[in-house]
Amino acid sequence: MRPIISLALLVAAPALALAQANVPAPGAETSVPPPPVQAQPKPEAPSAPATRPEPVVPQETPEPAPEADTAAEAPAPASPEETPVVAEPQPTQPDAPATPEDAPVLAAESPRTTEAQQQRLVHGAPLYNPNVSVHIVQKKRFADEGHHEFAFFPATVQVNGKYTNHAGSALQYIYHLQENFAFQLMGQYNWYSNESDFNLELIDKVREQAQAASSLLLVWGAQAGVEVTPLYGKFAFLNDSLAQFSVVLSGGAGLGSTRHLIRPEVANEVDGETFTVPARFGDTGTKFLGSVGGGFRLQFGEHYALRMEVRDLIYTARVDKVDGCNLADFEALEAARAGNQDFATLQLSGSCKYEKFDGVDPKTKKNYREDIILGRDLVAEPSSDVLNNISFYAGFSILF
Amino acid sequence: MNARTLRVIASLAISLAAPVASAQDDDEKVLDNVVVRNRLFEPGGHLELSLGVGLPVQTHLTAHYFFNVGVAYNLFNTFALEARAGYAASRHTGLARSISESFLDRQDKKVTDELEDLWEMNLHGVAGVRWAPIYGKLSLLSDLPAHFQAYVWAGGGLGSFQRNSVIQCTQVVDRELGICDDRAVPEDRGSASSDYWVKETRVAPVVSAAVGFRFFVLNKHGVRLELRDWVFRDAYRVNLLRDDWEAGRETGEPAASPGFTHLVQFDLGYTFSF
């Protein structure tokens, strides 16, 4: 496309010089050459808008030429067959070629652009000039290349939680190696991770529950990866304000810490007094973590942006140990519990943290030895799964 | 999941809308004028027809696949009235079937409650308003511009519903195999022509809300992408006695606070403007 445009500009140069002495060329919104159109008689007045108003070539006498920047952005035909919109304007002929379909509407009574204010450039474009439009999506106002970006996501909420619920916060560092390509480092911590109400409902009503691997909970994750911004655009909100945005796609890999619910919150009654015992979770180890995601980055000014993304955290899940204890450890602990034996004397695997299943909580009077059977149930049938934790990320970032 | 989905939708809408209204300088106001002037598509005053297919974002016990037609009138460029009607093909998920089969043999559970969110929506019709405060342009492949509107939608209507229990089987054929139908071959679920699970039907109000994008294609065509939530009141019975339901007798009483069921769909649609 670039050679074609260059060729078109060369062809258009004499025409532009001619246009400077005549009517300014209406700019198109895209650099794609417009399709050939049949010459039409110039309408007397703008017609009533249908899907969009028909473009009308100004009928006034020639005006001062637009700025050079604008001329460069105006479309030019790529070949003689595709002719006509700008390359060879016929300003005084009634059968002047039609403007491209996506060209701006130019009312016949458009104000003149002889005032200095109207000719002032805004971000390199003569936007005050109503007879001139600019490229559809202008050059990005703020370049990303070589910039650093810190993004903070105060809220990350899982949106696909069938058996699990997660909510947390995340911090991300991005280095924009190129305009559309960046490296990223990201860490997140889920300050809430628990089994879903749906899973608890199944346990309560039909005595079914998800396999341990399918209800594994992610506590924190850290990953490195890349981010690309293949698309960018702008939008107007209520016709009053403008925002520029990029579509971001990201991918990464790293590690995440997992846990599993051993026992939900229960009431413990001791000597006629009832204590609320909080839910108990068991450590299930660090797992490989990968992610893919996409979203929007809305930039406000040169240094600030809003980010809204959806990411799919993918992690492998195999539950064969809880708090470092495997099935053999749990069976040994259970046998020792039945015999009221000291756990320290048992031959357990080195990773087994048997202390977590021993003793009595002084606050709730809960005997932790009662949880041994629950831990054993989790590893009795080792399960594995690949979990997709799809979460919505909302946050802001600072670029420098 | 459902409440969070609503929060996500609300966050998305607020995040898109609120911050943009501020932090604008004079130059940007000038740019905005250009944006407005260069709009290629002004739907105000036009009628439009639409077709859409909705796929479930998440399935628990039921899955729905929506097929909708809609007609809308754009009062303004940013505001439209729209009516939609359609049919949702629904089914039980594999999880629901697994639960129903295994629970037949779980005789230690003599008293239980029906599961939530088992109503399946079929025929439905809603009318609502569509507010599209955002008009934007997107650069595709650097040379191809795409114009779009971002919108929120809210409305209500009626829907027909059916509910097939996964707990109450009125005629147990084979408890161990979890069979509660008239299948000819025990291993072939598809050979059954009817089943004996408790069924209910009703017509009930439904509320729907959505956020989405509409991309304009050529002059009169558009492609619509939206996230839509269908909300209706749940209803189920509690304190069910196994002996009663297996004898074909009605048992239990309606849940006092059944809550609401959310069907969150990803909707892909086509629009034609007149």
Side-chain angles (χ1 to χ4, degrees):
Chain A
M1 179 58 72
R2 192 178 294 276
I4 295 175
I5 294 174
S6 301
L7 180 61
L9 288 174
L10 283 175
V11 173
L16 289 170
L18 181 62
Q20 287 181 348
N22 296 298
V23 177
E29 292 188 348
T30 172
S31 58
V32 177
V37 293
Q38 295 297 323
Q40 298 173 353
K42 188 190 319 181
E44 291 298 324
S47 58
T51 301
R52 63 172 294 265
E54 289 296 325
V56 178
V57 177
Q59 299 181 24
E60 287 84 355
T61 53
E63 298 178 347
E67 298 292 339
D69 287 0
T70 310
E73 290 191 282
S79 65
E81 289 75 16
E82 291 182 331
T83 322
V85 182
V86 175
E88 296 183 19
Q90 302 295 328
T92 59
Q93 295 177 6
D95 58 347
T99 51
E101 189 172 288
D102 56 353
V105 177
L106 300 177
E109 53 276 10
S110 298
R112 310 305 302 160
T113 56
T114 52
E115 297 176 10
Q117 170 69 2
Q118 290 177 314
Q119 295 182 350
R120 184 166 74 87
L121 295 183
V122 178
H123 301 299
L127 297 179
Y128 284 103
N129 185 339
N131 290 333
V132 175
S133 66
V134 292
H135 198 281
I136 168 71
V137 182
Q138 306 155 35
K139 67 178 182 181
K140 295 172 76 173
R141 294 179 58 196
F142 309 108
D144 289 334
E145 183 176 1
H147 285 196
H148 304 266
E149 181 176 357
F150 274 109
F152 176 58
F153 299 93
T156 66
V157 183
Q158 185 181 9
V159 294
N160 72 329
K162 178 186 280 188
Y163 300 121
T164 62
N165 290 331
H166 292 85
S169 300
L171 193 63
Q172 183 181 19
Y173 165 75
I174 304 131
Y175 175 67
H176 295 274
L177 188 67
Q178 296 178 353
E179 196 60 32
N180 297 325
F181 181 85
F183 290 116
Q184 59 153 339
L185 295 172
M186 186 168 189
Q188 78 175 79
Y189 175 74
N190 288 322
W191 29 263
Y192 178 82
S193 59
N194 205 339
E195 291 190 0
S196 67
D197 291 341
F198 176 65
N199 199 33
L200 298 178
E201 182 192 16
L202 295 183
I203 294 171
D204 177 47
K205 293 180 177 177
V206 294
R207 297 197 175 168
E208 299 278 354
Q209 64 176 323
Q211 284 189 323
S214 301
S215 52
L216 204 62
L217 305 169
L218 183 69
V219 181
W220 59 261
Q223 53 180 315
V226 297
E227 179 180 281
V228 294
T229 55
L231 307 174
Y232 71 95
K234 60 182 178 180
F235 65 78
F237 180 76
L238 287 178
N239 299 339
D240 290 332
S241 52
L242 182 74
Q244 300 210 354
F245 67 90
S246 300
V247 174
V248 297
L249 302 175
S250 62
L255 295 173
S257 174
T258 62
R259 69 178 186 177
H260 198 285
L261 180 69
I262 294 177
R263 167 182 39 76
E265 180 180 288
V266 293
N268 187 32
E269 189 170 326
V270 179
D271 298 333
E273 193 175 359
T274 302
F275 301 92
T276 300
V277 185
R280 175 174 179 181
F281 298 89
D283 179 22
T284 48
T286 302
K287 311 289 184 186
F288 173 79
L289 185 71
S291 78
V292 292
F296 295 96
R297 189 184 74 169
L298 280 68
Q299 192 156 352
F300 303 103
E302 191 172 356
H303 299 293
Y304 304 100
L306 260 178
R307 279 178 171 261
M308 288 166 292
E309 299 178 32
V310 174
R311 292 180 185 234
D312 183 5
L313 294 179
I314 307 157
Y315 46 100
T316 57
R318 177 173 172 79
V319 179
D320 51 11
K321 288 183 179 179
V322 173
D323 284 329
C325 304
N326 57 27
L327 180 58
D329 294 330
F330 277 115
E331 289 184 339
L333 289 170
E334 178 62 13
R337 184 187 74 87
N340 202 21
Q341 186 180 351
D342 185 0
F343 288 172
T345 62
L346 301 175
Q347 296 293 320
L348 303 173
S349 61
S351 61
C352 182
K353 300 171 183 174
Y354 63 85
E355 301 88 350
K356 292 193 172 185
F357 294 93
D358 200 6
V360 176
D361 186 348
K363 291 183 180 178
T364 63
K365 313 298 183 190
K366 175 68 177 176
N367 188 341
Y368 291 138
R369 290 194 169 201
E370 295 171 357
D371 293 335
I372 293 173
I373 190 70
L374 300 175
R376 192 196 66 177
D377 288 347
L378 289 178
V379 298
E381 294 181 13
S383 56
S384 60
D385 201 350
V386 176
L387 300 181
N388 292 78
N389 183 337
I390 302 176
S391 297
F392 175 73
Y393 291 66
F396 57 91
S397 63
I398 300 174
L399 297 99
F400 54 94
Chain B
M1 172 259 175
N2 297 323
R4 267 188 307 286
T5 304
L6 285 177
R7 285 199 292 272
V8 168
I9 293 172
S11 301
L12 182 63
I14 293 170
S15 302
L16 276 172
V20 183
S22 59
Q24 302 291 326
D25 56 29
D26 291 344
D27 286 350
E28 286 172 330
K29 287 176 181 171
V30 172
L31 286 172
D32 176 55
N33 292 335
V34 175
V35 170
V36 173
R37 192 186 66 189
N38 285 350
R39 282 190 178 192
L40 295 186
F41 304 94
E42 297 183 342
H46 290 271
L47 193 69
E48 67 183 48
L49 287 176
S50 64
L51 298 171
V53 177
L55 302 173
V57 171
Q58 174 70 304
T59 59
H60 286 179
L61 297 174
T62 63
H64 291 76
Y65 305 89
F66 283 76
F67 302 93
N68 281 315
V69 295
V71 57
Y73 181 72
N74 294 280
L75 295 173
F76 312 104
N77 284 337
T78 58
F79 191 83
L81 301 176
E82 183 172 18
R84 288 193 190 189
Y87 181 80
S90 62
R91 64 172 175 85
H92 276 175
T93 61
L95 174 63
R97 283 197 298 271
S98 172
I99 289 171
S100 65
E101 291 172 358
S102 63
F103 192 69
L104 276 184
D105 198 28
R106 200 169 287 281
Q107 296 186 72
D108 54 338
K109 189 74 173 171
K110 294 288 188 182
V111 180
T112 191
D113 299 341
E114 276 283 3
L115 292 171
E116 300 174 14
D117 300 330
L118 259 179
W119 285 98
E120 300 170 42
M121 186 162 74
N122 297 129
L123 287 172
H124 57 274
V126 291
V129 296
R130 184 180 66 205
W131 182 48
I134 290 175
Y135 183 98
K137 300 176 182 179
L138 188 66
S139 171
L140 293 175
L141 304 176
S142 77
D143 277 338
L144 182 62
H147 289 234
F148 67 88
Q149 280 186 315
Y151 62 85
V152 294
W153 196 104
L158 285 175
S160 69
F161 300 87
Q162 61 166 323
R163 187 180 194 282
N164 298 313
S165 175
V166 297
I167 288 179
Q168 297 184 74
C169 174
T170 58
Q171 186 177 331
V172 178
V173 175
D174 190 318
R175 199 176 292 282
E176 287 188 3
L177 294 178
I179 299 176
C180 182
D181 55 38
D182 62 354
R183 68 183 70 173
V185 182
E187 293 77 20
D188 184 8
R189 188 184 298 116
S191 63
S193 58
S194 64
D195 62 60
Y196 310 118
W197 297 104
V198 171
K199 296 178 179 61
E200 298 170 82
T201 60
R202 65 169 175 161
V203 174
V206 60
V207 172
S208 184
V211 295
F213 292 91
R214 183 165 65 147
F215 290 88
F216 296 101
V217 181
L218 302 178
N219 280 339
K220 297 179 179 296
H221 309 276
V223 175
R224 187 183 66 206
L225 306 173
E226 70 179 24
L227 195 64
R228 177 169 291 272
D229 188 9
W230 301 86
V231 188
F232 51 89
R233 187 169 173 80
D234 198 2
Y236 58 89
R237 301 181 76 84
V238 296
N239 298 324
L240 309 170
L241 303 178
R242 180 181 285 267
D243 291 341
D244 283 347
W245 81 61
E246 291 191 350
R249 296 189 292 270
E250 183 176 286
T251 178
E253 63 270 355
S257 302
F260 293 91
T261 296
H262 295 257
L263 303 179
V264 181
Q265 302 283 315
F266 174 72
D267 199 83
L268 176 64
Y270 162 81
T271 63
F272 179 83
S273 297
F274 291 95

